[in-house]
Amino acid sequence: MLQLAPTIVSLKDVTFAYKGSKRQAIKGVSLDVKEGECVAILGPTGAGKSTLACVINGTVPRFLEGELTGEVVVDGQVPNEVGTAQMASKVGLVFGDPDTQLFGMTVEEDVAFGQANLGFDYDTIMGRVNRAIEDMRLKGLEQRAPHRLSGGQKQATAIAGVYAMLPKIMVLDEPTSMLDPEGKARVFSIVRYLNKSLGMTIILIEQEVDDILQLADRVYVMKSGKFVFGGTPREVFGSVNDLKSAGVRVPHIVEFGDLIGSAEAPFSVEEAISVVERGAWQPAASVETGLADDQSISGSSGNKMQHGALTTSFDGVSPAVEVIDLEFKYPMGAKALNGVNLKVDSGEFVAIVGQNGAGKTTLTRHLNGLLRPSSGDIRLFGESILNESTTKLCPMVGYVFQNPDEQLFCTTVEDELRFGPSNIGMDKDRMEQAVRDILLDIGLDKYRQVWPRYLTKGERQRLALASVVAMEPRILIVDEPTTGLDWLESLQILDYLEKLRKEKGKTILIITHDMNIVSLYARRVVVMANGRVIGEGTPREIFSQPQLMEQAYLRRPAIADLSDALWGEVCLTPQEAAYRLLESSRTNAEVSQK
């Protein structure tokens, strides 16, 4: 008789409100996790996922104070009673930003930190450190300073530091949110190893739904502090409409299966190919209608213009941005840019992609004078800016940082929008009109008098963007606009950027690791690696070059892999691939009738 694994985490009707807040962060949550399971928790930002993670290891309410009700039992103990220090040996918590968890001068020292605080002897500590470094694939980096690691290596070090304490349970709170595709693949590989090979219980909070399909035993979706539904991955991801209602992105392959009417949601490219080849599909009415309405999709042309295609005309004079043989070396560091050449026309929407450390941020920070080149030239609208101050360039080039908290200074939302315009001497009436219009456009009008720190991460991201837009720059650079945001918030940010491009004629440059965003919005993609531009073209052209993608350590969207396998061409969205399948089927039917 099959023996069921014991329950290691049990939550019954758990509710929590932070001190000083009337809003309940989690409301009546119940959850049982079996020993050795991998349970994924999905949901929009602000759903209560991180609060739930902190309840499990006792951080809430021991350090993050508030009112906790309900029953929480973890490995036979009540976290709130035994304290976080004792729970640390049972529950390891890894955050999305590894820099908040790295304390040592070297990787080795950092991995030893937690055990030293638990009072283990030297031999025990070093034995665990060596094993953790080996298992997390950090061999050879033992004496490297954590700040000199790549994003993926930093996150692996943070996980190693928790893993070395040998907890029974690992809770990972969006561990890949700040990583490039290679770093994400590395972290998910580590999580799979911890769970499948070592039998560690994993609770994984994530926005990367594609990887959850193959990794999780069970999936729960949170919204507004509650679990709205849950089950096996097939049960959860088979409920496409429910996922969309909850604000969770539907994996491309799953959405393609839903659009073509597959009886069971395909989870992989291979499964989707099997559905198509067996003819086990019947397209939804929306696909039929979409094909009839969009005659630009032809069987082999693959020339459907994605959302975000250029609709404004160039001025035909000078590029908005021209970078010529640009080189840059950080003091006491390696050369970050090595002969970069780039042109961006007025009104373009350009995505700059590449792995962490490729030089993307370094390049764009030259465009408004935050960095000065070692050699080469930078021209904006035909004029060199090498001798121009950042103060003079700010009205022309707006820069939005990856972390919005780095550029929010004021006590109210509306004052934040006034900060930039007032510092560049904008007329007061014009400034006030801009503030009113932008707050309405960005959806923050009701928060005019709110302290920015009270906003959610997505709202702060929109505010940081709005504070730069208020200065009316002709060129707008946004570094990782979707980091830490859920899918709906990401679309809100990008839709607003596209609106600025179409209606205001802005030139938009985004730095991103999200190839789904690239597919939907970018007109042109610039690929960087090792401080150089190694390729550029439309998303379709870039995704059609697997060697280039591999060289830049990028992963194209799964729908591109599927369409390439089926027809030898790249589709950018599940809708486009569904149209392509339907058209191909009709063409084959016509040929067979002849």
Side-chain angles (χ1 to χ4, degrees):
M1 183 176 177
L2 182 65
Q3 187 174 0
L4 295 176
T7 297
I8 194 169
V9 176
S10 176
L11 281 68
K12 289 184 172 59
D13 199 24
V14 175
T15 296
F16 179 75
Y18 287 99
K19 185 178 180 179
S21 173
K22 296 179 181 178
R23 186 180 71 88
Q24 292 176 331
I26 51 178
K27 308 171 185 177
V29 169
S30 295
L31 172 68
D32 285 333
V33 179
K34 302 295 184 183
E35 193 169 335
E37 267 195 308
C38 179
V39 173
I41 301 176
L42 311 176
T45 54
K49 306 184 301 296
S50 296
T51 301
L52 185 63
C54 291
V55 166
I56 292 171
N57 86 329
T59 306
V60 165
R62 301 283 290 197
F63 288 97
L64 301 172
E65 297 179 358
E67 183 179 354
L68 178 69
T69 61
E71 182 181 316
V72 182
V73 180
V74 178
D75 196 25
Q77 296 189 318
V78 178
N80 191 29
E81 294 177 359
V82 302
T84 305
Q86 187 169 337
M87 291 306 299
S89 61
K90 296 180 176 294
V91 182
L93 180 57
V94 179
F95 299 108
D97 183 357
D99 290 326
T100 63
Q101 282 185 264
L102 300 179
F103 308 102
M105 299 297 290
T106 66
V107 168
E108 185 178 73
E109 185 179 315
D110 211 289
V111 176
F113 181 85
Q115 303 162 79
N117 277 275
L118 291 176
F120 292 115
D121 62 76
Y122 178 81
D123 289 340
T124 300
I125 290 174
M126 291 313 299
R128 291 187 178 191
V129 166
N130 291 334
R131 176 180 172 180
I133 285 175
E134 182 75 34
D135 287 349
M136 297 303 111
R137 305 172 198 170
L138 294 167
K139 204 71 178 170
L141 300 174
E142 292 90 338
Q143 301 307 312
R144 181 80 61 87
H147 72 271
R148 293 184 56 226
L149 300 174
S150 70
Q153 290 167 340
K154 282 183 179 180
Q155 195 60 281
T157 302
I159 294 174
V162 175
Y163 165 57
M165 293 187 284
L166 299 183
K168 289 185 176 181
I169 305 157
M170 188 85 85
V171 181
L172 300 105
D173 189 358
E174 299 200 14
T176 67
S177 63
M178 301 183 70
L179 302 183
D180 59 26
E182 183 192 30
K184 289 179 180 180
R186 179 190 184 95
V187 168
F188 282 121
S189 175
I190 289 170
V191 171
R192 183 175 288 104
Y193 170 77
L194 292 173
N195 179 240
K196 307 303 181 188
S197 300
L198 302 184
M200 188 177 289
T201 303
I202 301 291
I203 298 175
L204 180 60
I205 297 168
E206 257 301 338
Q207 301 285 357
E208 290 294 324
V209 291
D210 299 279
D211 296 276
I212 297 299
L213 292 174
Q214 308 297 334
L215 188 58
D217 298 308
R218 283 187 295 144
V219 179
Y220 290 89
V221 178
M222 286 191 80
K223 186 177 182 181
S224 302
K226 299 178 180 180
F227 286 148
V228 290
F229 63 102
T232 66
R234 288 204 178 273
E235 289 170 341
V236 170
F237 288 104
S239 304
V240 171
N241 292 332
D242 289 337
L243 283 174
K244 290 181 177 179
S245 296
V248 175
R249 183 176 72 80
V250 180
H252 273 181
I253 298 299
V254 173
E255 187 168 8
F256 172 76
D258 182 64
L259 288 168
I260 66 171
S262 174
E264 185 174 277
F267 271 23
S268 66
V269 170
E270 291 73 23
E271 288 183 11
I273 291 173
S274 175
V275 169
V276 171
E277 290 180 342
R278 289 186 288 111
W281 56 277
Q282 181 63 45
S286 60
V287 177
E288 297 268 6
T289 304
L291 182 61
D293 291 344
D294 194 341
Q295 297 302 316
S296 68
I297 305 173
S298 58
S300 59
S301 66
N303 63 354
K304 176 179 167 58
M305 187 64 78
Q306 69 275 14
H307 178 66
L310 189 66
T311 56
T312 56
S313 59
F314 299 154
D315 59 17
V317 183
S318 300
V321 176
E322 188 172 11
V323 176
I324 303 168
D325 298 327
L326 191 67
E327 300 200 356
F328 179 78
K329 181 178 180 181
Y330 285 101
M332 306 298 292
K335 183 180 284 188
L337 298 178
N338 190 14
V340 173
N341 289 280
L342 176 67
K343 287 184 180 180
V344 178
D345 285 308
S346 294
E348 276 200 284
F349 197 127
V350 175
I352 303 177
V353 302
Q355 70 177 136
N356 290 343
K360 307 182 299 296
T361 297
T362 301
L363 169 62
T364 54
R365 289 188 177 184
H366 278 80
L367 302 185
N368 71 342
L370 289 173
L371 294 175
R372 301 291 175 172
S374 304
S375 64
D377 195 11
I378 305 161
R379 299 173 187 169
L380 301 182
F381 304 101
E383 299 291 331
S384 176
I385 63 168
L386 294 185
N387 297 319
E388 300 293 350
S389 67
T390 301
T391 303
K392 187 172 180 179
L393 292 173
C394 278
M396 187 182 300
V397 182
Y399 199 105
V400 183
F401 295 105
Q402 181 174 349
N403 182 356
D405 297 332
E406 292 179 356
Q407 55 190 124
L408 300 179
F409 313 101
C410 301
T411 55
T412 69
V413 165
E414 64 179 3
D415 282 345
E416 202 67 64
L417 265 68
R418 294 189 183 105
F419 183 85
S422 62
N423 275 277
I424 63 173
M426 184 181 290
D427 175 76
K428 186 175 180 180
D429 291 340
R430 179 179 166 191
M431 176 179 68
E432 292 301 326
Q433 184 62 51
V435 168
R436 287 192 294 271
D437 292 345
I438 294 170
L439 284 174
L440 286 170
D441 283 346
I442 208 78
L444 295 176
D445 185 60
K446 62 182 178 180
Y447 300 122
R448 280 175 166 274
Q449 296 300 317
V450 173
W451 187 36
R453 299 291 174 176
Y454 284 157
L455 302 178
T456 67
K457 170 71 187 301
E459 289 165 347
R460 296 200 306 278
Q461 193 88 30
R462 279 185 277 157
L463 177 57
L465 173 59
S467 68
V468 174
V469 172
M471 292 187 285
E472 301 179 351
R474 297 172 67 183
I475 301 168
L476 192 57
I477 302 169
V478 190
D479 193 348
E480 294 290 355
T482 63
T483 296
L485 304 186
D486 63 48
W487 184 239
L488 292 183
E489 287 177 326
S490 298
L491 295 181
Q492 286 174 347
I493 291 283
L494 272 297
D495 281 343
Y496 183 60
L497 292 174
E498 170 63 6
K499 180 179 178 181
L500 291 172
R501 187 197 69 82
K502 290 179 69 174
E503 296 182 4
K504 304 290 186 181
K506 306 294 186 185
T507 302
I508 308 294
L509 286 80
I510 63 169
I511 299 169
T512 185
H513 292 131
D514 192 332
M515 297 301 109
N516 297 306
I517 290 296
V518 170
S519 293
L520 288 172
Y521 292 92
R523 177 185 185 268
R524 189 156 60 95
V525 185
V526 174
V527 184
M528 293 191 68
N530 301 316
R532 293 178 178 272
V533 173
I534 62 170
E536 54 184 299
T538 66
R540 202 182 311 279
E541 290 168 345
I542 295 300
F543 294 160
S544 298
Q545 301 178 61
Q547 289 184 330
L548 176 65
M549 297 287 289
E550 183 178 349
Q551 186 181 351
Y553 297 96
L554 298 173
R555 286 195 302 174
R556 64 184 180 180
I559 201 67
D561 290 333
L562 174 62
S563 56
D564 197 4
L566 286 173
W567 307 296
E569 62 189 59
V570 166
C571 293
L572 298 176
T573 66
Q575 291 79 8
E576 187 182 342
Y579 299 157
R580 178 67 177 80
L581 175 62
L582 184 57
E583 187 183 51
S584 175
S585 175
R586 287 179 175 176
T587 301
N588 292 338
E590 290 171 1
V591 170
S592 63
Q593 288 175 359
K594 294 178 181 179

